[in-house]
Amino acid sequence: SFRKFYRNTKKNLRTLFLLLALFTVSSLVSSASLSSFKPSFDSIESTVVRKEVFFNYLLPAIHKKNAEIVELRAAISNNELSDNQLNDLAKKYRLETISKEELLKVIDILPPSLVLAQAANESNWGRSRFSKEFNNYFGIWCFSEGCGVIPNEREEGAIHEVATFNSLEDCIDYYVLNINRSYAYEDLRLMRKNQRQKLKPITGILLAEGLGNYAFPGDEYIESIKSLINFNHLERHDFMN
């Protein structure tokens, strides 16, 4: 009927308009790259558009960090670093023994799909107070007085604060360092090392299994991260392994 045809046409036009808007906004965010421009995620009504803008906002910083890590791994593998530089890296990553194997185990990339899924989960797609005001997209805590911001709902007797960062890039730097050196994510690093040895891709779905200590209860957290990766097809971004 004409009424049905009208409804379908209206629906298709609305979808087309939404996709065009999504393409335009995503292009703008991508071109903004690592500038100080931060989208107002709260003001984006469409969930589809908000998600894509969120991913495009984070991706340049994630790729930049992974590129730095790939370059550093090459320098380690090719014996291009001085003893002092190797010592500094071992200290930074809290290694007891300095060896090429140990350094390459901790200094490695994180799949963009994993980083995006955790950021979306921990920051409520960039709409949490701490991501908006303090560039903390990963729910990162610190434990010395004055190191960050005291959360409103902190229990009596607790000492943790929510870490603050000057930029998205600073936040991602610390997040990647934390995953790569904390004893809590040793399993994740072993999984990644095994993939390297088998010449297999390093994927977010695989490494999500090593995030059991990131939040409680661990099993539910792992499943939520894997679900985010799958539902949003985030492994399409895992091309730089």
Side-chain angles (χ1 to χ4, degrees), residues 47 57 99 168:
T47 301
Y57 176 61
S99 70
L168 168 65

Side-chain angles (χ1 to χ4, degrees), residues 1-14:
S1 68
F2 177 78
R3 185 176 296 176
K4 184 177 180 181
F5 173 78
Y6 174 77
R7 279 202 305 266
N8 288 338
T9 303
K10 187 177 180 182
K11 181 180 178 182
N12 290 335
L13 285 172
R14 189 185 299 118

